[in-house]
Amino acid sequence: MAGNLSLTREYGRIFTIMRDEVIDPYLWDNVSTRTALLYCMKAKGAIIETGGRPQLAFKILKELPTSVGYSDLETITPVRGDPWTQARYLWKQIACPVQVSGLDMIQTGEGNESDLLEGFIQTAEISMRESIGGSSIGIFSSIGDTTLTGISGLQSHFTTSTTTGTVGQLSRASQSNWRHQLQNVASAFDSNGINLMTQLYYECSRFDETPDIFVVTKSTWLNFMRETTRTFSTNFPMMIGEGDKMMIDAGFPNTRHFGSLLFGDDGCPANAGYCFNTKFAKLYVRSGRNAELGDFVKSQSKDDLAAYVLWAGEFCNTNLARGGLLQNADTY
């Protein structure tokens, strides 16, 4: 195969200029604002860009010291508790290829080079949206803590068992405080769906720590809308607040269930809904790998220019008990 020819070099120069000046600043914005859950988390400040560290480690409250009542000069015996443990999350990496062939270059008219690259970048954005916002390797995935090839997603954090498995390499079995909530609609939504959604919200709440996101399938969201609009009176609690307006302006239909934003997401797996608090559940993204497009390089044995959109991060939870899973709410 011939070396780096003049046409390829020219395209490489144009692509580099476009990458540095046009593409990189907007790639992650375009990916994260085209997915309901990612957009909502971004609006709430629950997507955190951070620098380098070996792993994402967080101090977790393990147990409270025991408070006792006493009278007058009664002896108070100090007992040292063991209040803290640590959750550890590993960096996960996702890559999407962008490859332009020599034939693509030959067939592109003079002055249309930017249009050629734009088309490939748009498809890469869609791919990254489907990946990071999806249930295979993205934020809805069932991938575990130590598997490096995908995000430890909502299916992993809020499983169908509250007493097995690990999150942040902490065991639900051995730590009772490290267990999420679970409600199973089981039968048709119109018989007990609203009641169990309310029960789940209540169980995920403690004092002022209440869920602010309730993401479900579109089927569950439609079931909720059917039930809550049966009578005029039940419409009153559904008044739109500021957060809802932002979602609607971005094109995502939604409402509120008590204090949480309730919306459907295409990435949410069938018969699942997730209720959680973004005070504790956040997506951490590595700066320098925030859906950035790498250098275009000519392959050794191909007539092409190839690069990758690279992303690194992890979905981290610091209070598993303040979130939970709603099962089997898709059937009306």
Side-chain angles (χ1 to χ4, degrees), residues 21 41 65 107 138 167 184 189 241 246 256 259 276:
E21 297 185 1
M41 292 180 67
Q107 293 176 339
V167 174
N184 190 349
F189 189 92
M246 291 175 61
R256 285 189 184 273
F276 60 93

Side-chain angles (χ1 to χ4, degrees), residues 94-329:
I94 295 175
C96 179
V98 179
Q99 185 180 40
V100 179
S101 73
L103 185 59
D104 293 325
M105 302 178 207
I106 292 168
Q107 293 176 339
T108 300
E110 298 295 329
N112 295 323
E113 296 88 351
S114 61
D115 294 334
L116 174 64
L117 182 58
E118 183 181 359
F120 280 97
I121 293 301
Q122 285 177 346
T123 59
E125 285 178 0
I126 295 171
S127 176
M128 293 296 281
R129 178 193 68 185
E130 300 292 321
S131 298
I132 298 174
S135 61
S136 177
I137 60 174
I139 197 164
F140 288 101
S141 85
S142 59
I143 291 174
D145 299 337
T146 57
T147 300
L148 300 181
T149 53
I151 298 170
S152 175
L154 286 163
Q155 288 188 81
S156 176
H157 288 224
F158 306 122
T159 62
T160 56
S161 170
T162 62
T163 58
T164 59
T166 65
V167 174
Q169 301 182 56
L170 294 179
S171 171
R172 293 186 185 91
S174 59
Q175 292 191 203
S176 59
N177 66 307
W178 197 242
R179 293 173 184 171
H180 60 281
Q181 312 304 323
L182 174 66
Q183 288 295 331
N184 190 349
V185 175
S187 58
F189 189 92
D190 64 346
S191 64
N192 65 354
I194 295 291
N195 291 336
L196 292 181
M197 287 180 68
T198 302
Q199 181 70 22
L200 181 60
Y201 180 90
Y202 172 78
E203 290 176 348
C204 291
S205 303
R206 183 171 178 82
F207 298 109
D208 63 337
E209 298 169 354
T210 59
D212 58 353
I213 287 182
F214 209 138
V215 58
V216 296
T217 65
K218 286 189 173 180
S219 295
T220 297
W221 188 78
L222 287 171
N223 291 343
F224 177 86
M225 295 302 293
R226 291 188 188 103
E227 280 297 289
T228 52
T229 55
R230 278 185 171 183
T231 65
F232 184 78
S233 62
T234 58
N235 261 324
F236 286 114
M238 296 168 61
M239 293 179 65
I240 295 172
E242 182 180 353
D244 285 319
K245 185 177 185 304
M246 291 175 61
M247 294 283 284
I248 290 172
D249 287 346
F252 301 115
N254 65 99
T255 185
R256 285 189 184 273
H257 181 248
F258 297 102
S260 62
L261 290 180
L262 174 69
F263 54 90
D265 191 299
D266 290 310
C268 191
N271 288 303
Y274 302 98
C275 180
F276 60 93
N277 188 334
T278 55
K279 177 181 177 181
F280 307 113
K282 301 180 186 295
L283 181 66
Y284 286 83
V285 180
R286 176 65 165 90
S287 59
R289 285 291 186 276
N290 195 359
E292 294 192 12
L293 182 63
D295 294 332
F296 279 90
V297 178
K298 186 188 179 303
S299 302
Q300 185 174 0
S301 59
K302 290 188 174 76
D303 180 11
D304 72 343
L305 282 171
Y308 285 90
V309 178
L310 299 175
W311 182 91
E314 177 63 311
F315 181 59
C316 302
N317 208 314
T318 56
N319 192 340
L320 210 60
R322 300 284 76 81
L325 167 66
L326 180 73
Q327 279 186 278
N328 299 316

